[in-house]
Structures are given as C-alpha cells and as structure tokens.
C-alpha cells in the first residue's frame, strides 16, 4: 500500500480514463485521476457515462500488477467490484456485482466500470479502471432504464415520506472508497504470491454475484437474441459467464454474447 493516496482532481475533463492513458507511463501503481464533471465519460459497450457536475464519483485508477498474468486479467475486475461492494456495505447500502463489473442495488444500477488493460508478454503490465459511482444524484435522464444512487438508496431505506437532507462529500468519500479497493488488491496479491491462484478472490466475487443460482430470462446473442431461462452457475476459467438451463445444460458466454432481461 502506498504511504499516501495519490489523487489528481479535475474540476472538469473529457474522461478520467483519457487522462490516465496520457500520463500512465510516469504514474505509480494505484495513482488516481478524478473529476467533478466529465464531458465525455465512457462506459461499457461504447456507452456514455452521464453524471451531473459534482454529484457523483468519477475517477480512474491505474494498477501495475506485475503478479497478474494476461490470462488472469479478470482478477482486476473482481478486485475493483469487490472493493466497491465493501465500500457500499460499510455505508449501509447492500449491493450485488452484475457480471462482469457493474454494481447493482436490487434491480437498480449504481455503478459502472470501464477497464482498459495493457499486456506485455504474458503479464498484465497495466490496468486503467474507470469507475463511475452515483453518490448524490437524484434525477437521471429518461433514457437510463434503472439508475440509482447512494442518496436515493439511503432515502428509500429511511422511507420516502420522510424529508431527507442526506448528502456526501465526494472529495472525502473517494479516499475511503480507494482504501477498500486497495485492501482487496493487497489481499489478492498476497493470496497469489502464496498460492499462485485467486481462489479466495473468485469465491468472494461469486458470493455477491447478481442473480447467481436464480432462474431468470436472458438473451443469447450468439443465437440471434433468443430468449432463454437459466441461472448463473458461475464463471469459467476464461471469466465467461456460465448459464445453466432447467435441463441442467450449461453454456459459457463472453462479454457482449448475452443480455440480461431486466
């Protein structure tokens, strides 16, 4: 763990992942770029990450994990999502990880992550993890299907009929969140150094995986969007999602090969 957290704040920038990519060569492990507002925030599948100025956490952290092989790079997703889950739990918000790396509260999305990895030889030379966590925002664009925030969840728990003045200082919350992510990072590094595996990390990830062991509807994009009823049985050695239908038949799906029907 670095002696102190290193965070570079921007009042506004196009994307913290862009800043991280520009400065990655000279940045130390776990350096973080954060912004009060992003003009061109990026999400998974080429989506934009929309956020009101100053209301949410938008940041990118660079990891230089020389202990992670290229084949095992999904460990970074597990580390970041587990750190976020632990942070939210400490704040009284129960969440689940939606494979591969969204964070959900019940059926509502509270956080998205965009991870950009670089591989040198057989090692993961760097990983830039862009994270957007909804903190104080209460109103969202109509085209977002299921957003929520920490404040909305705290108000929901307290009861909508009660007036609430809950708010969080994002500049104070980011160091708290980063410490949770880095705790998982350090534990994973220790585990791998000792055993050469990430069994405990994966076990913890699966323990809080959204929909695991429950039958729901999905769209199989490898079969033209055919709807299937299945349960999540886990993830395979390639970090693909494993779905099992009611006949006990299993099939693995890579990212963008399956849609959750929400």
């Amino acid at each position: 763990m670095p002696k102190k957290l290193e965070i570079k704040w921007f009042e506004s920038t196009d994307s913290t992942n862009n800043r991280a990519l520009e400065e990655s060569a000279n940045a130390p492990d776990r350096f973080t770029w954060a912004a009060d507002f992003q003009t061109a925030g990026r999400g998974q599948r080429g989506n934009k990450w929309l956020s009101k100025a100053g209301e949410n956490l938008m940041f990118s952290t660079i990891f230089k994990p020389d202990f992670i092989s290229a084949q095992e790079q999904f460990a970074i997703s597990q580390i970041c999502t587990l750190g976020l889950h632990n942070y939210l739990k400490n704040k009284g918000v129960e969440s689940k990880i939606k494979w591969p790396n969204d964070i959900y509260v019940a059926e509502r999305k509270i956080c998205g992550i965009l991870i950009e990895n670089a591989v040198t030889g057989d090692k993961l030379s760097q990983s830039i993890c862009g994270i957007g966590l909804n903190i104080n925002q209460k109103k969202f664009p109509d085209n977002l299907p299921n957003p929520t925030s920490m404040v909305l969840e705290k108000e929901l728990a307290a009861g909508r009929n009660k007036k609430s003045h809950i708010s969080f200082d994002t500049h104070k919350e980011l160091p708290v969140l980063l410490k949770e992510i880095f705790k998982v990072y350090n534990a994973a590094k220790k585990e791998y150094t000792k055993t050469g595996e990430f069994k405990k990390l994966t076990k913890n990830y699966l323990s809080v995986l959204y929909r695991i062991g429950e039958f729901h509807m999905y769209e199989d994009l490898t079969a033209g969007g055919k709807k299937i009823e299945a349960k999540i049985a886990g993830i395979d050695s390639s970090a693909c999602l494993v779905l099992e239908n009611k006949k006990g038949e299993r099939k693995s799906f890579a990212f963008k090969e399956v849609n959750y029907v929400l």
Side-chain angles (χ1 to χ4, degrees), residues 12 30 40 64 86 97 104 115 134 186 212 214 226 258:
S12 178
R30 286 173 273 192
K64 297 191 174 181
N86 294 342
I97 299 168
Y104 269 48
I115 296 178
N134 295 332
N186 289 334
I212 191 164
E214 303 171 358
K226 178 184 177 182
V258 62

Side-chain angles (χ1 to χ4, degrees), residues 39-57:
T39 59
R42 292 181 286 138
Q44 295 284 12
R45 303 177 189 265
N47 295 329
K48 288 185 177 180
W49 182 263
L50 303 172
S51 176
K52 286 191 174 181
E55 292 196 349
N56 304 317
L57 276 177

Side-chain angles (χ1 to χ4, degrees), residues 200-232:
K200 187 174 181 180
L201 176 67
T202 298
K203 180 181 178 181
N204 291 339
Y205 176 86
L206 293 175
S207 73
V208 291
L209 194 63
Y210 173 71
R211 287 189 175 182
I212 191 164
E214 303 171 358
F215 280 96
H216 292 275
M217 298 303 297
Y218 298 87
E219 289 179 344
D220 182 349
L221 302 183
T222 68
K226 178 184 177 182
K227 287 190 177 181
I228 57 174
E229 186 176 10
K231 67 179 180 180
I232 295 173

Side-chain angles (χ1 to χ4, degrees), residues 14-242:
D14 56 352
S15 163
T16 57
N17 263 37
N18 288 348
R19 300 289 75 73
L21 285 166
E22 289 175 353
E23 301 178 20
S24 62
N26 297 318
D29 183 43
R30 286 173 273 192
F31 191 89
T32 298
W33 297 258
D36 293 319
F37 182 67
Q38 290 187 135
T39 59
R42 292 181 286 138
Q44 295 284 12
R45 303 177 189 265
N47 295 329
K48 288 185 177 180
W49 182 263
L50 303 172
S51 176
K52 286 191 174 181
E55 292 196 349
N56 304 317
L57 276 177
M58 293 161 289
F59 64 97
S60 299
T61 297
I62 189 168
F63 294 94
K64 297 191 174 181
D66 54 6
F67 63 99
I68 298 178
S69 69
Q71 188 177 359
E72 295 168 315
Q73 59 187 276
F74 189 64
I76 286 291
S77 290
Q78 294 174 307
I79 287 165
C80 289
T81 51
L82 279 168
L84 280 154
H85 166 81
N86 294 342
Y87 164 79
L88 288 168
K89 185 175 182 179
N90 290 341
K91 292 294 177 179
V93 178
E94 289 295 331
S95 65
K96 295 286 186 181
I97 299 168
K98 178 174 172 284
W99 177 89
N101 49 25
D102 285 337
I103 307 294
Y104 269 48
V105 179
E107 298 295 318
R108 301 174 293 278
K109 182 176 177 178
I110 196 169
C111 178
I113 304 176
L114 175 65
I115 296 178
E116 298 180 284
N117 291 329
V119 173
T120 302
D122 63 349
K123 292 291 184 181
L124 183 60
S125 54
Q126 75 173 33
S127 182
I128 294 173
C129 303
I131 296 174
L133 175 63
N134 295 332
I135 302 284
N136 295 312
Q137 191 166 343
K138 293 185 180 182
K139 294 183 179 180
F140 295 87
D142 292 337
N143 63 327
L144 296 182
N146 58 342
T148 190
S149 68
M150 282 172 56
V151 163
L152 286 175
E153 291 304 318
K154 298 293 280 186
E155 288 184 350
L156 182 62
R160 294 289 189 189
N161 58 331
K162 295 181 180 179
K163 288 187 177 180
S164 174
H165 301 286
I166 300 170
S167 66
F168 297 91
D169 184 328
T170 55
H171 283 244
K172 290 181 179 179
E173 291 302 318
L174 179 55
V176 179
L177 171 53
L178 287 173
K179 286 177 182 178
E180 290 299 327
I181 294 173
F182 297 161
K183 279 181 188 177
V184 182
Y185 184 71
N186 289 334
K189 185 174 183 178
K190 184 177 180 180
E191 179 190 9
Y192 193 82
T193 301
K194 185 177 180 179
T195 68
E197 297 178 303
F198 291 112
K199 283 187 176 180
K200 187 174 181 180
L201 176 67
T202 298
K203 180 181 178 181
N204 291 339
Y205 176 86
L206 293 175
S207 73
V208 291
L209 194 63
Y210 173 71
R211 287 189 175 182
I212 191 164
E214 303 171 358
F215 280 96
H216 292 275
M217 298 303 297
Y218 298 87
E219 289 179 344
D220 182 349
L221 302 183
T222 68
K226 178 184 177 182
K227 287 190 177 181
I228 57 174
E229 186 176 10
K231 67 179 180 180
I232 295 173
I235 55 174
D236 66 17
S237 59
S238 300
C240 293
L241 188 70
V242 180

